[in-house]
Structures are given as structure tokens and as C-alpha cells.
């Protein structure tokens, strides 16, 4: 997969894309990150990429031209068709299901806004998917883009080893789209708290049953919205 990010703050990505699973995925040839500074494409002689809003009001708005030209130039670099995504608090809420869907794309092109946002006309012309990482407002689309990249890249086949498989994580199909069960490791007793006996016994069918029950209980307690009416009856 190729992932392009169009941003005014490319330097924000260095640490996140250069460490841990995201870096390993690139080293293994599973993904290629390409960061593009939108400012490089402005035709404004002062290097401006924003301007005051028509109608007045606070803040600045990202202008159409630099972003439009940046998208055109970057898309030409590779014949694979890019899924265009603008990070926006007004977009569809990002979920594990969307991450799964995007993990099979050949190419993603993420656009990070800044200031008050992006001139609506260029969004209309680009006709991207718009994705929000939650009902709160951040200063820019860079952190949301990194969140999306992390959630998607770990789902690309072969990125996580078998030991780390994502299939049983919370919200994932292997967890029945519920929350994950609790996890324990050594030591067996810590500050007077024992690991549940069933996990020590070696009876894999019992362990599986216990984990499923735990997952359902904590989902009911912490995130009842994840349970369908039918599932709720089984508890
Ligand atoms: N005026 C905009 C509004 O109220 O909808 C907010 C603009 S925000 C300060 C600047 C940029 O940050 C946005 O263009 C978007 O790219 C990004 N952003 C902020 N919060 C976000 C969120 N929850 N999800 C995705 N992107 C977000």
C-alpha cells in the first residue's frame, strides 16, 4: 500500500512513522509513506497557503490552489488510484470497520487541514471521503491522519506477527465486535492479587469460555452500546 499525506507540518510525522510497527511495516515493504508539504505548491509569491474568511470571523482558511495542485502532482507520481481522505471533525466517525475496509486499499491519500479548515470549494472538487477521529476539535489533521494510519497499517496482512494478531482485539471480528477480555502475565501473584485459576489450568476450552464471558460482561458494563439487542439477551 502507498500512503500519501498532504500536510503543512510534515515534520510532525517523523517520530510516529519512524518507530515500532509503522516503521517495521515500511521496512518489510508492506507500506510506503510519502509526505508532501502543501506549501511547496503555492503560487503565492509570499508562500501563503491561507487567507482570511469571506464574511468575516476569526482565523484563517486554507486556500484552494495549493491543495488542488498538490493533489494533482502527488496522484501523478503513481498509477494506483488513491482513496482520497480529508481529516475533518465533520466527517464520518472513524471505526475499526472503516480501518478494515481501508486496509485493503492500494493507495490512500490523506489530507490534513489546519487553521479554521479548508476552503469548501476544493473539498467539493476533490470529492474525498471525510473522516473524523472523534467529537472534539484538534488544531490540525496531522494527529488524526497518524491515528488513521496506525489503525489501518496494523491490519495489512503480514504486518503483525501471529503472536500479535489484531483479529481478537476490541471491536474486531474475532472479539464478536465487543471489547477484548482482560489479560494477565507473570507473576502469578502481585500485591496479593492472583491470576484467575482458569488461566493456569491449561484447559483451553474452559479458558475460551471464560474469556468470552469476561468480554461480554465488561462490554455490558463499559460499552453497552456495542451489544445488539439479541446479544444482550444471552448475558
Ligand atoms: N472549524 C473547523 C470545525 O469546527 O469543524 C475545525 C477546524 S480544525 C481547528 C483544523 C483541522 O484539524 C481540520 O481541518 C481537520 O483537518 C483537523 N481536525 C480537527 N479535529 C479533527 C477531528 N476530530 N477529526 C479529524 N480531523 C480533525
Amino acid at each position: 500500500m502507498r500512503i500519501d499525506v498532504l500536510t503543512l507540518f510534515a515534520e510532525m510525522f517523523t517520530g510516529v512513522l519512524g518507530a515500532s510497527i509503522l516503521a517495521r511495516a515500511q521496512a518489510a515493504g508492506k507500506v510506503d509513506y510519502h509526505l508532501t508539504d502543501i506549501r511547496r505548491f503555492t503560487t503565492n509569491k509570499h508562500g501563503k497557503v491561507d487567507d482570511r474568511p469571506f464574511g468575516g470571523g476569526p482565523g484563517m482558511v486554507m486556500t484552494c490552489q495549493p491543495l488542488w495542485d498538490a493533489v494533482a502532482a502527488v496522484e501523478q507520481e503513481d498509477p494506483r488510484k488513491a482513496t482520497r481522505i480529508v481529516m475533518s471533525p465533520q466527517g464520518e466517525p472513524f471505526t475499526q470497520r472503516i480501518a478494515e475496509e481501508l486496509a485493503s486499499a492500494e493507495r490512500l491519500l490523506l489530507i490534513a487541514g489546519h487553521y479554521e479548515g479548508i476552503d469548501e470549494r476544493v473539498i467539493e472538487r476533490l470529492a474525498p471521503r471525510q473522516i473524523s477521529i472523534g467529537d472534539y476539535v484538534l488544531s490540525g489533521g496531522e494527529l488524526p491522519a497518524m491515528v488513521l494510519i496506525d489503525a489501518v497499517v496494523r491490519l495489512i496482512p503480514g504486518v503483525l506477527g501471529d503472536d500479535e494478531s489484531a483479529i481478537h482485539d476490541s471491536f474486531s471480528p474475532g472479539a464478536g465486535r465487543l471489547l477484548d477480555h482482560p489479560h494477565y502475565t507473570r507473576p502469578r501473584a502481585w500485591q496479593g492479587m492472583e491470576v484467575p485459576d482458569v488461566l493456569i489450568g491449561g484447559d483451553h476450552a474452559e479458558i475460551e469460555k471464560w474469556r468470552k464471558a469476561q468480554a461480554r460482561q465488561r462490554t455490558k458494563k463499559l460499552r453497552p452500546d456495542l451489544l445488539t439487542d439479541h446479544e444482550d439477551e444471552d448475558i
Side-chain angles (χ1 to χ4, degrees):
M1 177 189 292
R2 169 171 170 148
I3 301 182
D4 286 286
V5 185
L6 275 57
T7 168
L8 293 172
F9 297 92
E11 66 277 16
M12 286 178 71
F13 290 82
T14 322
V16 171
L17 301 185
S20 183
I21 287 163
L22 297 186
R24 223 168 64 196
Q26 173 147 259
K30 301 285 180 192
V31 63
D32 249 328
Y33 309 115
H34 294 259
L35 295 164
T36 298
D37 182 355
I38 299 167
R39 198 177 297 275
R40 273 207 297 125
F41 293 87
T42 185
T43 53
N44 179 281
K45 59 177 189 276
H46 304 295
K48 271 179 63 161
V49 288
D50 59 348
D51 214 326
R52 289 191 306 278
F54 277 122
M60 301 293 272
V61 178
M62 284 173 67
T63 54
C64 296
Q65 176 275 319
L67 180 55
W68 178 254
D69 288 354
V71 171
V74 163
E75 286 191 343
Q76 266 183 9
E77 287 175 10
D78 192 296
R80 285 172 287 184
K81 189 171 163 43
T83 301
R84 296 173 178 166
I85 298 172
V86 167
M87 307 314 304
S88 165
Q90 302 178 20
E92 56 184 315
F94 189 49
T95 60
Q96 189 68 19
R97 276 191 170 87
I98 296 179
E100 288 162 14
E101 188 189 323
L102 297 178
S104 57
E106 289 195 302
R107 186 175 180 196
L108 301 179
L109 186 147
L110 309 181
I111 297 169
H114 231 89
Y115 317 121
E116 278 306 312
I118 301 169
D119 188 312
E120 196 62 26
R121 293 167 296 180
V122 70
I123 297 178
E124 237 171 80
R125 272 288 151 81
L126 291 171
R129 194 163 178 173
Q130 298 193 56
I131 294 183
S132 163
I133 64 158
D135 288 350
Y136 42 82
V137 175
L138 298 161
S139 316
E142 287 74 18
L143 289 169
M146 288 185 244
V147 167
L148 185 146
I149 291 170
D150 190 311
V152 168
V153 168
R154 65 198 299 280
L155 297 180
I156 297 173
V159 165
L160 295 183
D162 284 346
D163 289 354
E164 306 166 302
S165 168
I167 191 83
H168 296 292
D169 283 337
S170 299
F171 319 113
S172 302
R177 301 280 179 200
L178 304 181
L179 299 183
D180 196 4
H181 56 77
H183 298 268
Y184 299 89
T185 185
R186 276 185 272 271
R188 212 167 139 169
W190 179 77
Q191 293 196 354
M193 299 160 82
E194 296 274 346
V195 170
D197 283 344
V198 63
L199 299 178
I200 317 292
D203 182 337
H204 293 293
E206 277 306 305
I207 292 173
E208 200 44 39
K209 218 165 95 189
W210 180 87
R211 285 179 167 167
K212 275 207 169 114
Q214 288 286 318
R216 296 178 74 80
Q217 266 174 34
R218 63 168 46 190
T219 304
K220 190 173 187 190
K221 184 166 169 222
L222 301 172
R223 288 293 305 276
D225 57 299
L226 296 177
L227 293 162
T228 64
D229 293 345
H230 171 71
E231 279 168 339
D232 206 17
E233 286 162 18
D234 300 343
I235 288 181

